[in-house]
């Protein structure tokens, strides 16, 4: 592709999958064009918006941003504006009704085609839209993003077959598609050879991963974890996001057998009320969720759990909310993503009668988040004077022999060292918490 040496800018909203997609978009454009990326949108000839539609008013947020970019396009008609991600899949060509100046609309499964769309737009000056779901093509064509750290994320599956009543993901990301087993392994081997020590596996329901290889060989998520753990250069493994209904005993067994798998898990429960879980079409009970956690704690006594909560779901009573607060205390969650319920267009829950007023929803959310903050404080205090395994990510600027690293439970730690520790996992004794960081002393083993 023969494109002049100009600049592109990407603005990202949403989850870690969206962040990963934006890195992939960047790598793909850089490989197939001569465009270079800029962090200053004023300099860019290509403006790319990678969107999320999980929360309410995602469309309005989109149009507000496009309104700001419209002013730039009025000054320079050659600017190309591209909208991608979940809102693009959800709204499609309807975006043009309010933003006729948009040039390209691409989907979550067609982001790898963006360089071709840009070339076609420049050549033919016509609006382009591609929000199709071409199955595994994306995984075969994407250019793996480059990472400037010692930790990297990799998408292993995408989409969702669960159709929870509140969730728009199955409609915007499509049905579950798992990336071929050895494609993932080869990608991780490449990353490992380039210094990556920690891998985070990404997917909407990452533990539902299933791949069929040669001779109809079936590969499960637990097999994938085990295979990754056998790569010597990879020293730490994470994954997000899991669904309790797919958190099977073979995965729990990996926690018993694989020290490289961190003792921290994000496992969304959404509500502590079985009645609300049924309305949400979450096919597990609170008791089943607790059984999973208890099994994990049997093989990993020190494992810490974070979760997702939706407050004020249609029909949620004070008693239902009390059940949620009860499970929060029982599990002693460390961190959470918690939100007031927002109806998403086209989902079954959007048709339910919402009998909880907004004032009550806000009070419940405030109560829940206050409790989570208290539990975060508990876990923060618990690691003081403990010894933690730290992945050393960078040396701090304008300091002498001072480094920053991350614990298995996602705490940032600052410490001094006279040694070459960058990219290594070392033991640090935590001394105290200071602002958003912990301070520690390296332990020489």
């Amino acid at each position: 592709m023969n494109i002049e040496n100009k600049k592109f800018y990407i603005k990202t909203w949403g989850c870690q999958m969206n962040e990963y997609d934006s890195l992939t978009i960047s790598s793909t454009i850089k490989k197939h064009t001569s465009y270079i990326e800029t962090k200053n949108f004023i300099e860019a000839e290509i403006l790319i918006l990678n969107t999320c539609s999980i929360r309410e008013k995602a469309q309005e947020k989109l149009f507000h941003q496009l309104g700001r970019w419209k002013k730039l396009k009025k000054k320079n008609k050659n600017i190309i504006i591209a909208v991608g991600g979940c809102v693009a899949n959800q709204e499609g060509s309807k975006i043009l009704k309010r933003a006729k100046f948009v040039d390209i609309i691409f989907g979550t499964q067609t982001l790898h085609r963006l360089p071709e769309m840009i070339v076609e737009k420049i050549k033919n000056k016509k609006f382009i839209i591609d929000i199709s779901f071409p199955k595994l093509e994306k995984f075969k064509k994407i250019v793996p993003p480059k990472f400037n750290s010692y930790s990297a994320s990799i998408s292993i599956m995408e989409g969702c077959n669960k159709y929870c009543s509140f969730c728009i993901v199955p409609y915007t990301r499509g049905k579950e598609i798992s990336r071929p087993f050895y494609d993932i392994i080869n990608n991780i081997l490449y990353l490992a050879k380039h210094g990556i020590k920690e891998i985070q596996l990404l997917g909407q329901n990452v533990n539902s991963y299933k791949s069929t290889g040669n001779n109809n060989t079936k590969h499960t998520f637990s097999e994938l974890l085990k295979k990754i753990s056998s790569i010597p250069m990879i020293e730490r493994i994470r994954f997000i996001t899991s669904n309790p209904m797919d958190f099977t005993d073979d995965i729990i067994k990996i926690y018993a057998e694989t020290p490289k798998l961190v003792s921290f898990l994000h496992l969304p429960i959404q509500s502590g009320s079985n009645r609300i879980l049924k309305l949400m079409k979450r096919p597990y009970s609170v008791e089943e969720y607790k059984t999973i956690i208890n099994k994990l704690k049997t093989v990993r006594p020190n494992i810490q759990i974070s979760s997702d909560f939706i407050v004020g779901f249609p029909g949620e009573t004070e008693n239902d909310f009390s059940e949620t607060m009860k499970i929060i205390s029982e599990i002693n969650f460390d961190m959470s993503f918690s939100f007031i319920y927002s109806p998403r267009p086209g989902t079954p829950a959007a048709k339910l009668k919402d009998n909880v007023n907004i004032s009550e929803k806000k009070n419940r959310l405030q109560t829940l988040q206050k409790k989570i903050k208290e539990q975060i404080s508990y876990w923060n205090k618990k690691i003081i004077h403990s010894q933690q395994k730290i992945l050393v990510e960078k040396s701090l600027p304008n300091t002498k022999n001072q480094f920053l690293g991350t614990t298995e439970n996602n705490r940032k730690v600052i410490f001094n060292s006279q040694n070459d520790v960058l990219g290594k996992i070392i033991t640090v004794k935590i001394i105290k918490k200071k602002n958003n960081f912990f301070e520690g002393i390296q332990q020489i083993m």
Side-chain angles (χ1 to χ4, degrees):
M1 297 181 186
N2 184 20
I3 297 180
E4 295 177 26
N5 187 24
K6 295 183 178 180
K7 296 178 181 179
F8 69 94
Y9 170 83
I10 304 175
K11 187 174 185 64
T12 309
W13 295 328
C15 64
Q16 286 168 296
M17 182 66 83
N18 288 69
E19 296 287 348
Y20 178 82
D21 281 350
S22 288
L23 287 171
T24 302
I25 291 169
S26 174
S27 296
T28 304
I29 291 176
K30 288 173 183 175
K31 180 173 181 179
H32 294 294
T33 78
S34 60
Y35 275 90
I36 58 176
E37 187 170 9
T38 176
K39 299 301 181 183
N40 183 359
F41 66 92
I42 298 294
E43 301 175 346
E45 287 81 12
I46 305 285
L47 297 171
I48 302 166
L49 186 55
N50 186 17
T51 63
C52 173
S53 62
I54 293 295
R55 303 260 61 82
E56 192 176 15
K57 299 181 180 178
Q59 297 93 323
E60 292 306 310
K61 188 177 179 181
L62 164 69
F63 290 118
H64 287 156
Q65 180 60 54
L66 290 178
R68 290 187 283 270
W69 284 357
K70 181 181 180 180
K71 296 175 182 177
L72 297 175
K73 189 154 185 172
K74 280 185 176 180
K75 295 178 181 178
N76 180 1
K77 65 179 182 179
N78 293 320
I79 286 177
I80 294 174
I81 297 177
V83 178
C86 294
V87 176
N89 274 99
Q90 178 183 317
E91 298 298 308
S93 59
K94 289 189 289 185
I95 292 172
L96 288 184
K97 292 181 180 179
R98 289 178 59 182
K100 298 183 185 299
F101 52 89
V102 169
D103 301 287
I104 297 170
I105 297 176
F106 63 98
T108 55
Q109 298 297 323
T110 55
L111 57 85
H112 59 286
R113 298 176 180 174
L114 188 54
E116 297 171 17
M117 296 183 205
I118 292 170
V119 170
E120 185 179 343
K121 173 63 187 177
I122 293 171
K123 182 178 179 181
N124 298 321
K125 309 294 183 184
K126 293 181 179 179
F127 167 73
I128 300 169
I129 181 170
D130 187 350
I131 53 173
S132 59
F133 290 91
K135 293 189 177 181
L136 287 172
E137 181 186 312
K138 171 183 172 179
F139 286 133
K140 293 177 180 177
K141 295 291 184 70
I142 61 173
V143 179
K146 294 181 179 180
F147 296 87
N148 297 320
S149 180
Y150 298 97
S151 178
S153 297
I154 177 171
S155 176
I156 66 166
M157 61 83 63
E158 210 169 314
C160 182
N161 297 341
K162 305 300 186 285
Y163 289 91
C164 300
S165 67
F166 58 84
C167 187
I168 199 152
V169 166
Y171 309 97
T172 58
R173 288 277 179 177
K175 293 183 179 181
E176 290 178 2
I177 303 172
S178 292
R179 193 172 176 183
F181 186 87
Y182 283 102
D183 280 4
I184 297 170
I185 297 303
N186 289 335
N187 195 170
I188 293 174
L189 284 170
Y190 172 84
L191 291 169
K193 289 176 182 178
H194 287 78
I196 295 298
K197 298 296 179 68
E198 177 183 272
I199 290 292
Q200 177 162 253
L201 308 177
L202 299 178
Q204 272 72 44
N205 285 314
V206 68
N207 52 332
S208 69
Y209 174 87
K210 296 179 183 67
S211 175
T212 302
N214 297 330
N215 302 319
N216 287 323
T217 304
K218 306 291 183 182
H219 297 291
T220 63
F221 182 59
S222 60
E223 288 178 46
L224 181 63
L225 291 174
K226 193 171 184 177
K227 183 67 175 178
I228 296 169
S229 71
S230 70
I231 300 173
M233 299 86 84
I234 299 300
E235 299 184 47
R236 189 182 275 182
I237 306 169
R238 302 179 184 273
F239 56 86
I240 194 170
T241 294
S242 302
N243 191 304
M245 70 172 294
D246 292 316
F247 215 96
T248 47
D249 286 346
D250 59 320
I251 298 174
I252 294 171
K253 186 180 178 184
I254 297 297
Y255 276 90
E257 298 174 345
T258 309
K260 290 184 178 183
L261 197 55
V262 299
S263 290
F264 188 91
L265 171 68
H266 184 74
L267 188 62
I269 187 172
Q270 305 298 356
S271 174
S273 163
N274 284 330
R275 190 179 73 85
I276 295 299
L277 288 175
K278 285 183 180 179
L279 288 174
M280 289 178 169
K281 294 189 177 180
R282 299 284 285 184
Y284 55 84
S285 66
V286 173
E287 291 73 25
E288 289 169 329
Y289 183 92
K290 287 164 66 175
T291 297
I292 294 169
I293 300 302
N294 289 335
K295 286 180 178 179
L296 278 168
K297 288 185 175 180
T298 298
V299 298
R300 288 283 186 95
N302 296 322
I303 194 167
Q304 291 169 236
I305 312 295
S306 66
S307 196
D308 291 351
F309 298 96
I310 295 175
V311 174
F313 190 81
E316 182 186 72
T317 64
E318 188 62 45
N319 184 63
D320 293 321
F321 180 66
S322 295
E323 291 296 310
T324 295
M325 294 303 297
K326 181 180 177 182
I327 193 70
I328 288 173
S329 294
E330 286 184 16
I331 302 297
N332 198 7
F333 289 107
D334 176 26
M335 304 183 191
S336 78
F337 296 100
S338 51
F339 305 95
I340 291 174
Y341 167 76
S342 58
R344 309 311 300 128
T347 60
K351 299 176 182 179
L352 297 176
K353 183 178 179 180
D354 190 351
N355 61 337
V356 187
N357 65 60
I358 188 63
S359 178
E360 180 59 28
K361 289 178 181 180
K362 288 180 178 179
N363 287 338
R364 290 178 187 178
L365 181 65
Q366 187 177 31
T367 299
L368 187 153
Q369 291 181 338
K370 180 181 178 183
K371 181 62 178 175
I372 293 291
K373 285 180 181 178
E374 290 173 359
Q375 292 179 184
I376 292 172
S377 179
Y378 163 84
W379 287 109
N380 284 344
K381 290 176 182 176
K382 193 170 182 179
I383 71 169
I384 302 294
H385 306 308
S386 71
Q387 294 193 1
Q388 298 287 320
K389 296 291 185 182
I390 308 292
L391 173 59
V392 186
E393 296 165 328
K394 62 181 179 180
S395 57
L396 295 181
N398 304 318
T399 64
K400 187 176 182 180
N401 302 321
Q402 200 167 50
F403 296 87
L404 177 70
T406 305
T407 65
E408 289 192 20
N409 62 349
N410 297 309
R411 267 58 175 187
K412 295 295 183 182
V413 179
I414 295 172
F415 64 96
N416 290 314
S417 179
Q418 302 296 322
N419 303 314
D420 179 16
V421 293
L422 275 176
K424 296 179 180 178
I425 292 181
I426 64 170
T427 301
V428 171
K429 183 177 180 180
I430 307 299
I431 302 302
K432 64 179 179 179
K433 187 174 186 296
K434 186 175 181 180
N435 300 322
N436 294 324
F437 300 91
F438 289 84
E439 293 183 358
I441 299 174
Q442 182 182 0
Q443 303 296 285
I444 305 301
M445 309 302 286

